[in-house]
């Protein structure tokens, strides 16, 4: 059933302002509006393989009604696809099938396909028009917004890339119906992050995930929630497009999370689980360094997270070593995004290892 409301959030950058359309079954209308009812003579589609299997018929039928030719590259699911090999395979399709600088590249999938496809669009012919169609909650509220594109290198994640803004983002929540529970949780962590750093009303909005199965969430409430998150990211990006300052607040919980991911391995803990634990630790460290976080607003959501990693597998010493190796370090101190109070993030250098140890305990207490 089609939801009545759709929301549009403009994202302003130095180069352009583009729209993010959020709604149910909005893919076709948003493309029609972008091209003012005309038909493209060609479109390139870069699509995640699971999304192709689950929603391919719909996506191909919509794109075929908007273009005379559609050339498709399917991207295997998983972080490994953010590679030079897959970048080159996409380039082969584009360049051999007659890419031109006015032909859009439509990228349909989660953050992996989005980052890869965005980088392909940024680099083919020095830039082809990019249309993001995020299909995970995380990609809708986070990775499709703000223009960061890229692939991984053997020495680290996201080390090859470009800032490249899309022409349009279409967050069609119909895709989310097939999203597995663990992927909802990955998106939820980023949503709770926005609540903590900018808009605490989002904590209440997130109660939709507590009331029912996540993929049965009320469509209207979900659209409003995604809209709020995109507006926050758009506002932060507008003020700090190239990540030279303010954009760091989007890393709330992430310094702890990256250490956990490095220590546990990415298959044992998901990014969303690590970010949730990281936010609990960051809240504790905020309190230990003088903040006044009156109530623990993350508490109601703890029941949505389960972990494969056990506390006896973790050591504070090793985790701290990972944080020390991280680039967010000056001298002996580690730089964290903490909260002065809810909605008021602050960058703090913390040197006292006992405080950091105490903060880790809060995260460990969530584990078996
Ligand atoms: N560019 C940015 O600003 C930014 C921000 C945050 C994260 N990221 C990147 O995003 C990536 C993570 O993105 P993600 O969490 O979306 O993961 P993902 O792209 O790996 O997708 C997660 C899983 O969900 C599947 N999937 C996608 N849509 C689905 C749907 N509608 N139904 C069923 N299954 C579906 C995928 O096949 C995959 O198995 C990481 O590489 C991260 O570095 C980028």
């Amino acid at each position: 059933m089609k939801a009545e409301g759709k929301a549009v959030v403009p994202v302003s950058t130095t180069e352009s302002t583009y729209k993010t359309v959020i709604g149910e079954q909005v893919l076709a209308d948003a493309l029609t509006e972008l091209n003012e009812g005309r038909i493209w003579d060609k479109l390139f589609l870069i699509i995640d393989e699971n999304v192709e299997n689950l929603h391919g018929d719909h996506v191909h039928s919509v794109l075929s009604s908007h273009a005379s030719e559609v050339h498709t590259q399917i991207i295997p699911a998983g972080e490994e696809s953010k590679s030079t090999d897959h970048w080159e395979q996409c380039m082969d399709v584009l360049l051999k099938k007659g890419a031109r600088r006015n032909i859009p590249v439509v990228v349909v999938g989660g953050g992996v396909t989005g980052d890869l496809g965005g980088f392909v669009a940024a680099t083919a012919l020095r830039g082809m028009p990019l249309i993001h169609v995020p299909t995970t909650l995380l990609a809708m509220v986070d990775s499709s917004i703000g223009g960061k594109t890229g692939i991984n290198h053997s020495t680290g994640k996201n080390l090859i890339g470009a800032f490249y803004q899309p022409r349009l983002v279409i967050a069609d929540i119909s895709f989310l119906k097939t999203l597995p529970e663990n992927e909802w949780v990955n998106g939820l962590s980023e949503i709770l992050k926005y609540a903590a750093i900018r808009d605490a009303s989002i904590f209440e909005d997130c109660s939709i995930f507590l009331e029912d199965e996540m993929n049965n969430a009320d469509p209207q409430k979900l659209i409003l929630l995604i809209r709020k998150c995109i507006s926050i990211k758009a506002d932060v990006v507008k003020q700090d497009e190239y990540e030279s300052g303010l954009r760091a607040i989007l890393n709330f919980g992430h310094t702890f999370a990256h250490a956990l991911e490095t220590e546990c391995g990415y298959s044992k803990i998901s990014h969303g689980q690590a970010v949730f634990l990281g936010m609990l630790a960051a809240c504790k460290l905020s309190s230990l360094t003088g903040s006044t976080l009156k109530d623990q607003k993350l508490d109601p959501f703890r029941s949505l997270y389960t972990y494969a990693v056990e506390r006896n597998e973790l050591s504070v010493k090793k985790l701290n070593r990972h944080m020390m190796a991280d680039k967010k370090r000056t001298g002996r101190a580690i730089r964290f995004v903490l909260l002065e109070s809810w909605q008021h993030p602050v960058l703090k250098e913390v040197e006292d290892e006992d405080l950091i140890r105490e903060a880790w305990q809060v995260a460990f207490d969530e584990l078996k």
Side-chain angles (χ1 to χ4, degrees):
M1 207 178 60
K2 191 165 172 168
E4 279 160 27
K6 77 167 186 187
V8 178
V9 178
V11 183
S12 299
T13 65
T14 41
E15 303 253 301
S16 63
T17 295
Y18 57 90
K19 279 183 187 171
T20 299
V21 179
I22 311 138
E24 197 172 19
Q25 307 279 5
V26 286
L27 179 61
D29 287 354
L31 288 174
T32 305
E33 196 183 315
L34 179 70
N35 208 25
E36 295 170 342
R38 293 187 298 267
I39 303 284
W40 283 285
D41 61 347
K42 207 176 279 187
L43 277 180
F44 289 101
L45 168 65
I46 297 178
I47 184 166
D48 171 282
E49 72 172 332
N50 287 329
V51 180
E52 168 71 19
N53 292 337
L54 293 160
H55 303 274
D57 289 351
H58 171 63
V59 172
H60 289 281
S61 129
V62 170
L63 293 196
S64 304
S65 67
H66 284 81
S68 312
E69 283 173 38
V70 179
H71 298 286
T72 305
Q73 177 69 6
I74 298 172
I75 307 298
E79 188 65 31
E80 301 73 33
S81 290
K82 279 172 58 173
S83 67
T84 46
D85 278 359
H86 285 281
W87 174 82
E88 197 170 352
Q89 286 169 24
C90 292
M91 279 301 170
D92 280 350
V93 173
L94 265 63
L95 299 177
K96 289 179 182 166
K97 297 290 182 188
R100 295 195 310 275
R101 292 192 68 188
N102 61 346
I103 296 177
V105 180
V106 182
V107 181
V108 183
V112 164
T113 312
D115 281 9
L116 168 72
F119 188 55
V120 168
T123 44
L125 309 177
R126 299 200 181 88
M128 293 172 68
L130 166 64
I131 300 171
H132 269 309
V133 182
T135 61
T136 62
L137 186 60
L138 179 134
M140 289 185 190
V141 298
D142 192 355
S143 61
S144 65
I145 314 295
K148 278 209 231 170
T149 70
I151 55 178
N152 302 328
H153 184 258
S154 58
T155 56
K157 263 190 76 154
N158 300 324
L159 295 182
I160 303 169
F163 284 98
Y164 189 69
Q165 302 295 342
R167 292 286 165 92
L168 176 67
V169 179
I170 308 169
D172 189 330
I173 63 164
S174 328
F175 286 103
L176 298 178
K177 277 279 166 212
T178 54
L179 197 66
E181 186 85 13
N182 62 324
E183 298 301 340
W184 279 92
V185 160
N186 280 334
L188 175 64
S189 292
E190 303 298 341
I191 291 175
L192 294 171
K193 172 193 80 183
Y194 291 125
I197 62 169
R198 193 48 90 77
D199 179 356
S201 75
I202 289 176
F203 285 119
E204 279 132 58
D205 300 334
C206 283
S207 61
I208 55 169
F209 299 126
L210 299 168
E211 287 156 7
D212 211 337
E213 302 261 298
M214 292 177 107
N215 59 4
N216 274 333
D218 179 305
Q220 289 308 318
K221 290 182 180 167
L222 192 57
I223 291 168
L224 283 176
L225 176 58
I226 295 171
R227 192 197 75 188
K228 278 190 186 181
C229 296
I230 291 177
S231 304
I232 295 172
K233 180 133 189 205
D235 183 55
V236 173
V237 167
K238 185 177 169 190
Q239 295 182 59
D240 181 18
E241 192 174 337
Y242 298 107
E243 206 166 31
S244 49
L246 178 77
R247 206 156 163 171
I249 64 171
L250 298 174
N251 283 329
F252 175 62
H254 284 58
T255 304
F256 288 101
H258 290 153
L260 278 167
E261 287 175 297
T262 311
E263 181 55 23
C264 302
Y266 294 91
S267 54
K268 191 114 196 224
I269 192 161
S270 76
H271 182 66
Q273 291 166 339
V275 169
F276 188 73
L277 292 174
M279 289 191 293
L280 291 176
C283 287
K284 180 69 180 178
L285 192 56
S286 303
S287 303
L288 292 169
T289 53
S291 299
T292 48
L293 292 182
K294 280 206 195 79
D295 43 354
Q296 181 40 282
K297 292 185 182 293
L298 292 168
D299 268 357
F301 304 97
R302 285 165 54 202
S303 61
L304 296 173
Y305 292 80
T306 51
Y307 307 92
V309 61
E310 295 184 14
R311 59 189 299 164
N312 61 15
E313 295 173 57
L314 296 173
S315 103
V316 171
K317 217 176 191 171
K318 282 192 185 163
L319 289 165
N320 283 357
R321 216 177 290 144
H322 294 310
M323 292 205 292
M324 297 292 276
D326 201 23
K327 48 190 182 289
K328 292 171 217 60
R329 186 169 80 94
T330 51
R332 284 181 51 76
I334 301 172
R335 185 189 300 159
F336 294 93
V337 181
L338 299 180
L339 297 174
E340 268 175 353
S341 56
W342 295 109
Q343 310 183 134
H344 295 102
V346 59
L347 287 177
K348 266 193 195 167
E349 314 267 332
V350 181
E351 205 171 319
D352 187 336
E353 283 186 25
D354 288 339
L355 295 185
I356 300 173
R357 177 179 296 276
E358 225 179 299
W360 274 122
Q361 285 312 321
V362 177
F364 291 0
D365 286 347
E366 297 301 296
L367 309 175
K368 272 194 276 179

